[in-house]
Amino acid sequence: MSKICSIIGARPQFIKAGPLSAALREKFVEIMIHTGQHYDHGMSQRFFDELHIPEPDYNLGVGSGGHGAQTAAMLKLLEELYVKEKPDAVIVYGDTNSTLAGALAAVKLHIPVAHVEAGLRSFNREMPEEINRLLTDHISRWLFTPSEASKKNLKLEGITDNVHIVGDIMLDSVLKYSEKAKKSSSIMVDLDIEKNEFYLATVHRAENTDDKIQLETIFQMFSELDKKVILPLHPRTKNRMEEYSLEVSDNIKIIEPAGYLDMLHLIQCSKSVLTDSGGIQKEAYYLETPCITLRKETEWTETVDAGWNTVTNSSKSIILSVAERSDEIRLLPHPDLYGNGNSAAEIVNILSSEIS
Ligand code: UD1
């Protein structure tokens, strides 16, 4: 059997690797490498347990650091492992520093790279994620995109070979786990909250957390909402809030980073989601919850065109009006924007027809 190295390192990558790893192992030997970019139990191990993802074969333990130091540490260790393991291909996911390092170390050794979630663009090159995904797309052999729009983005950059629209791998997971989340999550009881009686918020992007005024603006907007705001706090945001000595209003309930099933359940039950995460915008759409994206732009433009997602990073009036219209938004048509939840099988079919 041919050998594939899968590179994961940050929370959303564990969720994406769950369905793909299971499908891959039917046709390939998979060596899973965790870079250690995310390392807290609540940001890492918990997802392996919940999604029954095999334990990584290697954990590089790279941890936090500046972009250069973090990416460089990964590059060095990944190169050594690729030389040792001699994989026939490498799979990387999304847009993190682990994605770029995984792809770059591989191509330099002439190992072909498959990029899952290729072609996404915010057209904002100040985002580290935009640089990571741009560079990764340009050095990948196989580009697995979630939609026609992402395929078009690649075409505009001259990338037309081996581009496959396979839908969104995160939908595979949502379909598999949303019923289970409904039945088994106790988070609503634990937090003493009722369906539709709260907002769910997440904030972690550098553009929101690394600017004190911007982070204050976001918390100010949350404080004006008519209901409780549940905020599972990302470690990056926690660090910044401490640094800025930022106080939050009484309607904001800060909790530890949530597990996957609890998160799905919170999304399902919230009146609206407010987030700067890419994954949560899509999960909100799949679970038919209106979303406000706390950014200047989004890569997931189809959700905006469908009317379910609204983008604003600082307009109180937009946020309040979306919150008010949330019941109306729920009545909008809800087309399949990113496939039908069969991404893992499609990716493995394509790879197994090309790698012998
Ligand atoms: C990274 C990705 C982003 C992805 C996000 C998901 C990059 C450039 N960014 O951002 O694309 O959406 O992951 O969460 O790769 N920390 C901990 N414990 C952990 C993990 C992080 O305390 O388990 C803290 C550290 O202080 C660290 C900070 O969080 O400095 C930021 O971590 P980092 O690895 O830079 O990435 P994220 O901000 O999480």
Side-chain angles (χ1 to χ4, degrees):
M1 268 207 248
S2 303
K3 190 193 270 187
I4 293 194
C5 281
S6 298
I7 311 306
I8 51 177
R11 183 167 59 174
Q13 290 163 335
F14 312 141
I15 295 162
K16 290 166 197 165
L20 189 53
S21 172
L24 262 184
R25 285 172 190 234
E26 290 175 15
K27 301 266 175 75
F28 295 96
V29 174
E30 183 189 35
I31 304 291
M32 194 177 271
I33 305 177
H34 186 329
T35 61
Q37 177 169 353
H38 285 176
Y39 43 87
D40 291 349
H41 181 272
M43 296 287 289
S44 177
Q45 186 58 43
R46 182 168 184 175
F47 296 90
F48 287 83
D49 300 342
E50 278 191 323
L51 299 171
H52 308 290
I53 305 167
E55 280 302 307
D57 298 274
Y58 299 96
N59 189 322
L60 308 182
V62 161
S64 314
H67 287 286
Q70 190 180 53
T71 312
M74 292 175 191
L75 273 173
K76 178 175 182 297
L77 296 168
L78 285 169
E79 183 173 68
E80 285 164 18
L81 278 185
Y82 293 161
V83 168
K84 176 174 163 210
E85 290 288 347
K86 302 187 178 48
D88 298 288
V90 162
I91 294 182
V92 296
Y93 298 88
D95 58 16
T96 73
N97 290 339
S98 299
T99 313
L100 177 61
L104 190 53
V107 286
K108 293 283 182 85
L109 294 170
H110 307 147
I111 303 166
V113 174
H115 186 200
V116 178
E117 221 177 64
L120 275 297
R121 294 291 181 271
S122 64
F123 301 101
N124 173 1
R125 290 197 180 193
E126 287 186 6
M127 285 178 75
E129 293 87 349
E130 181 78 351
I131 304 300
N132 289 340
R133 54 172 96 94
L134 256 166
L135 297 177
T136 302
D137 281 340
H138 281 262
I139 56 178
S140 292
R141 164 89 56 94
W142 298 281
L143 298 109
F144 295 114
T145 74
S147 66
E148 193 61 53
S150 31
K151 183 175 177 176
K152 245 188 227 154
N153 288 338
L154 292 173
K155 192 170 176 206
L156 286 172
E157 293 170 18
I159 303 174
T160 51
D161 287 348
N162 291 315
V163 179
H164 304 276
I165 302 177
V166 294
D168 175 22
I169 190 91
M170 289 184 94
L171 179 55
D172 293 32
S173 291
V174 169
L175 294 181
K176 187 163 174 200
Y177 289 103
S178 53
E179 275 310 305
K180 187 173 179 197
K182 237 184 240 172
K183 288 191 192 122
S184 69
S185 168
S186 63
I187 187 100
M188 299 285 290
V189 179
D190 298 346
L191 295 174
D192 192 20
I193 44 175
E194 302 283 334
K195 192 169 165 60
N196 273 328
E197 291 301 317
F198 69 98
Y199 298 96
L200 176 68
T202 76
V203 184
H204 80 276
R205 295 242 167 247
E207 70 218 59
N208 284 327
T209 57
D210 294 2
D211 175 343
K212 183 176 181 212
I213 306 280
Q214 176 58 16
L215 195 55
E216 277 173 350
T217 304
I218 287 177
F219 282 113
Q220 179 59 35
M221 293 190 294
F222 290 172
S223 75
E224 309 254 345
L225 287 164
D226 57 328
K227 296 188 190 303
K228 212 178 228 184
V229 177
I230 304 293
L231 177 71
L233 199 60
H234 191 287
R236 167 199 276 278
T237 318
K238 185 176 182 211
N239 293 343
R240 294 295 180 274
M241 286 174 72
E242 282 165 10
E243 235 174 272
Y244 307 150
S245 309
L246 213 141
E247 305 271 321
V248 299
S249 71
D250 287 348
N251 72 322
I252 302 173
K253 170 123 182 95
I254 292 180
I255 62 171
E256 290 293 314
Y260 183 63
L261 296 179
D262 284 346
M263 201 62 190
L264 287 185
H265 197 45
L266 286 170
I267 296 172
Q268 274 164 347
C269 295
S270 65
K271 188 172 176 211
S272 291
V273 163
L274 299 102
T275 188
D276 61 6
S277 150
I280 294 172
Q281 292 174 54
K282 295 178 287 170
E283 287 167 342
Y285 183 75
Y286 301 143
L287 298 169
E288 304 194 24
T289 299
C291 180
I292 297 163
T293 295
L294 300 165
R295 289 179 44 197
K296 288 192 223 137
E297 67 282 305
T298 179
E299 300 79 20
W300 303 99
T301 50
E302 298 87 347
T303 58
V304 177
D305 297 341
W308 286 79
N309 189 3
T310 306
V311 180
T312 178
N313 73 338
S314 57
S315 167
K316 195 165 52 181
S317 60
I318 294 178
I319 287 188
L320 294 180
S321 98
V322 172
E324 218 168 80
R325 288 189 299 111
S326 92
D327 288 342
E328 243 172 77
I329 294 172
R330 282 168 201 273
L331 300 174
L332 289 172
H334 190 267
D336 286 343
L337 299 177
Y338 305 114
N340 53 15
N342 244 343
S343 276
E346 288 190 36
I347 292 171
V348 172
N349 276 342
I350 294 163
L351 290 180
S352 56
S353 70
E354 303 213 3
I355 303 169
S356 51

